[in-house]
Amino acid sequence: MRTALVTGVIDAATLLAEVAAPKNGASVLFVGAVRESNDGREVSGIEYSAYAAMAENEMAVIVSEAASQFDTDDIVVEHRVGRLGIGEASVVIAVAHPHRAQAYEASRFIIEALKKRVPVWKREEYLDGTREWVDPTTAREAAPR
Amino acid sequence: MTVTALLFASYAEALGSSSIELPLAPGDSVGDALARLRAMPGGDRVPPAPLVAVNLVYRRPDHVLAAGDELAVIPPVAGG
């Protein structure tokens, strides 16, 4: 298990390689990336910031929970902070397990918990030059989809 | 006594700083510190009962603060 808050580009292939093991018959890679639009507005980029000490703690706690719930230690999660452009990965989750069902479920568990619990914030920048902090408690993004 | 309030994202923008030294009285709670913050210019954009962590542990408004505590006022998270 490994978690990290990073400032550079996340290399998803490296994370995938890190969780591979002969006992694992399934690997699931989740990549969360910056989307070109949100709530009907054209996005040019997102600036991510974090309360680093707590974010790192909470990511580790979530991964520990997933490890015990889904019975695998082969989990790596990296979340990026700083300014990201369209298509760049903000979060990557790699999970491997002997069987696919648990790998999929663990991956989903981690991203949903991360979005609710890890103190990371994003400020969207729009093509019209404005920017706004995203508040999931008021935005439509609050509902998983 | 003094505690350090850490502010993030929209709250830091509202109060114009990511770190504010708050003068408090001995025995003051998280709630008292929040009331003081909210009375500052721009503080009205911080809700009355935001998520708060003291020295990296989530705490309730009645938690009593000590000199030198680090009080993080945490906006709705939006990672991923």
Side-chain angles (χ1 to χ4, degrees):
Chain A
M1 287 184 288
R2 187 175 67 79
T3 57
L5 206 59
V6 301
T7 52
V9 171
I10 304 175
D11 181 3
T14 302
L15 272 63
L16 199 53
E18 209 173 322
V19 298
K23 66 174 186 287
N24 292 327
S27 296
V28 169
L29 182 69
F30 173 83
V31 178
V34 175
R35 199 172 54 223
E36 67 180 357
S37 70
N38 190 28
D39 269 349
R41 302 183 70 181
E42 289 181 290
V43 173
S44 56
I46 296 180
E47 186 194 328
Y48 284 86
S49 59
Y51 182 15
M54 278 202 86
E56 284 171 349
N57 282 351
E58 196 63 25
M59 284 168 65
V61 168
I62 290 168
V63 165
S64 293
E65 289 173 7
S68 65
Q69 190 170 335
F70 301 100
D71 197 25
T72 178
D73 286 339
D74 295 319
I75 304 174
V76 179
V77 180
E78 291 191 356
H79 198 302
R80 187 172 165 191
V81 291
R83 206 253 176 208
L84 278 68
I86 303 301
E88 288 195 271
S90 54
V91 61
V92 176
I93 300 168
V95 180
H97 190 282
H99 305 293
R100 67 183 178 282
Q102 291 91 334
Y104 271 119
E105 285 168 26
S107 178
R108 184 68 191 262
F109 170 87
I110 291 165
I111 186 62
E112 300 302 338
L114 185 148
K115 280 181 167 281
K116 287 191 191 77
R117 291 162 49 184
V118 177
V120 171
W121 302 279
K122 57 186 167 193
R123 181 158 57 179
E124 286 183 336
E125 301 167 3
Y126 306 100
L127 280 185
D128 63 10
T130 59
R131 51 189 197 173
E132 265 176 34
W133 293 101
V134 176
D135 181 352
T137 60
T138 57
R140 275 188 275 161
E141 195 182 8
R145 54 181 177 176
Chain B
M1 67 174 190
T2 301
V3 307
T4 304
L6 300 181
L7 303 163
F8 303 93
S10 56
Y11 298 171
E13 199 171 79
L15 283 141
S17 177
S18 58
S19 174
I20 295 175
E21 299 296 316
L22 283 182
L24 295 173
D28 273 357
S29 66
V30 165
D32 297 320
L34 287 170
R36 188 167 281 263
L37 259 186
R38 295 185 73 239
M40 293 177 156
D44 56 332
R45 286 169 60 192
V46 175
L51 198 57
V52 164
V54 178
N55 304 330
L56 300 176
V57 179
Y58 287 117
R59 296 294 189 189
R60 293 152 57 101
D62 59 1
H63 177 80
V64 175
L65 294 164
D69 275 354
E70 196 173 80
L71 172 82
V73 187
I74 300 179
V77 303

